[in-house]
Amino acid sequence: MRASTRFHQRHPVLTAVLGASALTWLFQRLRARLSPAILPEPTGPYDVGRVAFDWVDAHRDEPYARHGHRRPRELSAWLWYPAEPEAGAKPGPYLPAGWRLTSLFWHFQGSRVRAHAVPGAPVARPRARYPVLVFSPAGFPPLYYSSLFEELASHGYIVAAVSHTYEALPVSAFADGRLRLFRPASVGGALKVSRASHEEDVRARASVVDVKAEDLRSLVDELERLQAGSGLLAGRMDLERLGAFGHSMGGNAAMELCARDARCRAVANLDGGVWSTVGQEGLPKPLMELFAEHPEYVRPCDESVSQKAFASVEYCEANRELAVGGWQRLYARARPGYSIQIRGAGHASFTDCGLLPLKRRSLARRALGTIDGRRMWRVLSDYLRAFFDRHLQEAPAPLLDGASPFYPEGVLAPPEALFSPAPGS
């Protein structure tokens, strides 16, 4: 018997008053609100574990400390890894305590979301060590990329995502439960249409990228200490096969890390603009750039201004040159370079937001594009895995060699072709 039929039978008065069709609609809405939102099941041969840890970077001052307060930079990270959970072990919550507050800001019920990683599960034994990927988010907590990280971990990668303190909206949480409220300086004014000059914004955001890149370098240092220690992941990380990736300004930070640190062998930029010097100098390492659709870089600048993407035509033109020019130089100077646009993707499509039960008023909904959330997860996961498989594990990756009929959303072309201005712009 269908659940809606049973509901009608249990509530004959409501059925009589509202009618069967209206009550069925109401039942379906209530059911959708109460049913869990389950992240996609990882497809790899491994189960997935998850742990978090905090540390202090004693070599750096906190860049976002209150005026007159000097103290070292404190950081936190989450790790996803191939695991062998004990029988009956259950996945942890999508958003552990502290991080649950972020779901109020992004307007969804965090307790409804189900992930797959098991907290503290033993590391899988078939391989002695696993390649490592470090990740830099932007504005969103690291946990809002869980579906992607679980998929990569299920295929044999250890993913370590740093939480850039003060950056997540509205709070950052440490593993020990401490909270830090968002501070606007940590995003360089990137959350609204800027009224500053383009030069001022470039300086502010380059400074943010520098902090984030140094956070990544500190994370790699900490992973080396964990590798040499006696904890859960000791001896299980292959830091000779280290890759980096990031989203938005985190993608810029990942590229800066690879430019500064020889330990990084390959890097992927997920829809990140280029504010720092790496966009001018290039990066002679394997580099993948994955893009959303960006109409603001294709349509005439006066239209972009009228759509409130930029404050002025002059700002639009300068930003287009900085972004598209930087992407093109990086692509041309990489060894080798890959440039892929995912049709229908918006800037937030690289997070879990397309899979979450977001309410209509959630700001993230405006930046999701038109692609289905599960399809985006599949396309993004497979392109990223192909890239790191090829350049960290010397494995075949035919998906990178040209257009695939199985991935019609993926457009492989140089950035200058993907973002060629429309006539008259």
Side-chain angles (χ1 to χ4, degrees):
M1 184 183 297
R2 291 175 57 189
S4 58
T5 302
R6 292 195 299 271
F7 189 74
H8 292 161
Q9 292 177 348
R10 293 171 183 170
H11 303 278
V13 176
L14 281 175
T15 302
V17 173
L18 298 176
S21 296
L23 196 60
T24 297
W25 176 85
L26 179 61
F27 170 77
Q28 290 172 343
R29 290 292 300 273
L30 288 171
R31 190 178 187 184
R33 282 180 174 273
L34 296 174
S35 59
I38 303 174
L39 297 184
E41 185 82 27
T43 64
Y46 299 106
D47 291 322
V48 180
R50 187 183 74 183
V51 293
F53 63 92
D54 305 330
W55 76 100
V56 176
D57 187 341
H59 301 290
R60 298 163 61 208
D61 288 340
E62 172 54 62
Y64 306 121
R66 298 296 186 190
H67 181 69
H69 293 75
R70 183 176 179 180
R71 52 188 172 80
R73 177 74 162 162
E74 295 182 278
L75 293 161
S76 182
W78 285 89
L79 279 79
W80 288 256
Y81 56 91
E84 291 180 354
E86 297 178 359
K90 295 182 179 180
Y94 177 68
L95 297 178
W99 288 114
R100 291 173 197 161
L101 294 171
T102 65
S103 65
L104 300 176
F105 178 87
W106 294 106
H107 293 293
F108 71 96
Q109 190 175 346
S111 61
R112 283 183 54 200
V113 184
R114 301 286 186 271
H116 304 281
V118 177
V123 183
R125 288 170 291 183
R127 291 169 60 174
R129 295 188 300 165
Y130 297 92
V132 177
L133 306 175
V134 293
F135 179 83
S136 172
F140 294 95
L143 293 152
Y144 281 49
Y145 303 82
S146 291
S147 61
L148 175 60
F149 299 160
E150 289 183 342
E151 175 68 359
L152 292 169
S154 79
H155 285 276
Y157 288 94
I158 294 174
V159 182
V162 66
S163 172
H164 300 288
T165 311
Y166 298 111
E167 179 189 86
L169 290 158
V171 298
S172 303
F174 288 92
D176 63 10
R178 290 173 297 137
L179 301 179
R180 293 290 182 268
L181 289 174
F182 169 77
R183 291 185 180 171
S186 68
V187 296
L191 297 179
K192 60 183 178 180
V193 176
S194 177
R195 301 295 173 182
S197 71
H198 191 256
E199 292 78 9
E200 289 175 301
D201 280 346
V202 170
R203 287 193 295 271
R205 294 173 192 177
S207 177
V208 169
V209 167
D210 181 69
V211 172
K212 292 165 72 71
E214 289 304 306
D215 286 351
L216 281 176
R217 178 140 62 178
S218 181
L219 172 60
V220 177
D221 292 342
E222 188 66 18
L223 293 177
E224 288 186 337
R225 286 190 284 272
L226 292 176
Q227 171 73 359
S230 58
L232 178 70
L233 291 162
R236 307 308 303 276
M237 293 180 283
D238 188 349
L239 293 169
E240 295 296 318
R241 291 184 292 168
L242 177 75
F245 65 131
H247 176 221
S248 193
M249 278 200 280
N252 192 169
M255 293 187 295
E256 276 294 335
L257 172 75
C258 269
R260 303 174 185 184
D261 197 321
R263 293 173 294 184
C264 178
R265 291 180 49 183
V267 62
N269 174 20
L270 310 187
D271 208 41
V274 188
W275 304 96
S276 64
T277 55
V278 72
Q280 299 297 322
E281 299 170 358
L283 178 61
K285 291 181 180 180
L287 166 66
M288 172 178 277
E289 297 178 290
L290 284 159
F291 300 110
E293 293 184 338
H294 283 281
E296 72 274 19
Y297 293 141
V298 176
R299 64 194 175 201
C301 272
D302 57 350
E303 292 185 20
S304 292
V305 173
S306 68
Q307 294 292 324
K308 302 188 184 304
F310 302 104
S312 68
V313 169
E314 293 75 18
Y315 193 110
C316 170
E317 291 172 345
N319 189 257
R320 178 182 289 175
E321 166 54 31
L322 182 76
V324 180
W327 290 334
Q328 180 61 31
R329 284 186 289 273
L330 284 159
Y331 169 76
R333 298 172 187 176
R335 297 291 182 270
Y338 307 88
S339 171
I340 302 160
Q341 185 179 64
I342 302 177
R343 287 197 182 105
H347 192 59
S349 299
F350 294 84
T351 72
D352 288 339
C353 287
L355 304 164
L356 301 177
L358 300 177
K359 297 178 182 178
R360 288 186 179 275
R361 61 182 180 273
S362 175
L363 295 173
R365 290 176 68 97
R366 305 176 192 174
L368 278 176
T370 58
I371 191 170
D372 174 76
R374 286 183 176 260
R375 183 58 184 170
M376 178 68 187
W377 167 79
R378 180 74 279 143
V379 175
L380 175 61
S381 297
D382 287 356
Y383 273 111
L384 269 177
R385 189 160 62 88
F387 173 71
F388 287 121
D389 281 356
R390 173 176 283 184
H391 293 291
L392 295 184
Q393 306 200 69
E394 299 180 354
L399 183 58
L400 303 180
D401 296 331
S404 167
F406 302 106
Y407 299 85
E409 303 88 347
V411 181
L412 281 70
E416 62 182 6
L418 294 173
F419 302 106
S420 178
S425 63

